[in-house]
Amino acid sequence: MKEKYIRKNKKSYTIYKNSTNYGKFTNLNDAIIIRNILIKNNWNLNQIQQTYKINNTYIITSVIDEKIHLIAKYKQKPSKETINKLIKKQTRNPNNSKYGLNVTKIFDTYIIKKQIAQDDYIFGYYNNLQDAQFVRNFLMDNMWDTSKFTQIQYDSETKTYKLIEIINDKIYVLNTFKNKKDINITKEHENFLTKISKHKMGLASHPHLEELTNQIPDLEKQFNTTIKINQNPLETMFNLTPFQKIVYDSLDGTFEEITQSLIRYKSKNFTQKIQKNLDELIEMKLVVKNNEKYEKIKKN
């Protein structure tokens, strides 16, 4: 009976019964403990309790996505608050991945993505993991209902306040505060718009705000504020992305001539990528298009 229903893998043990996977464990003893609990409960996951006392040890368990997890062991019975915190933490990251469920990282941007009815939905972009995990945790606790957010949202885990705006069904964290009285919403809206504008102009890098760069007039109207950025061409040059700098250095010439000169950088969507960067350089007032030729704007 010792290893019945338990299948040994390379570095883990999995409990199987009638081709159903009930959970994976890093050591045999834990697998045996959970196997025995399942047998006592007739393999009914709905009957699994949060706490079991086995041989003077308290076992904390949780069922997540129809798998049973052994979360922790204690010599003394833990408080209900401790149990709830452990289960919540496990629910957010059942596979012990780097960022937890529904959070990925692409370059310097953290993205919250969830599949709903076989469609992928993006709930937000963030420049730090703390904001991404706060938003993900709140959404998980509220059945992924974005309407549950308030503009000033308290984070009970870090004991801080988050200034939130929902734009195009995505949740943006404008800033974090220790004290609610320190929040100046008008000032934070201005700072938020300034970041978007500077990113658009190449004066700063805020890739998590890229999606908003064409909505500045609408956001100014929404926030009832207007900003103006004094653009210094030299400052712009220092903030070009690597490929923007490569395209800029390849000028002057027609699109075909530029493409040919950059052929060594050829990759997927090569011509579209060059055109996108040329358009951005024009918007930054670093490049002008005369007839069919792209030329650098001469500095005075």
Side-chain angles (χ1 to χ4, degrees), residues 188-204:
E188 293 305 323
H189 282 162
E190 291 173 353
N191 291 341
F192 185 59
L193 286 168
T194 298
K195 287 180 180 179
I196 298 168
S197 298
K198 284 192 171 184
H199 177 73
K200 181 176 183 178
M201 297 163 67
L203 299 175

Side-chain angles (χ1 to χ4, degrees), residues 35-43 47 52 54:
R35 187 271 318 276
N36 292 344
I37 290 173
L38 284 164
I39 290 172
K40 288 180 181 179
N41 287 277
N42 297 315
W43 299 87
Q47 294 181 8
Y52 291 91
I54 300 173

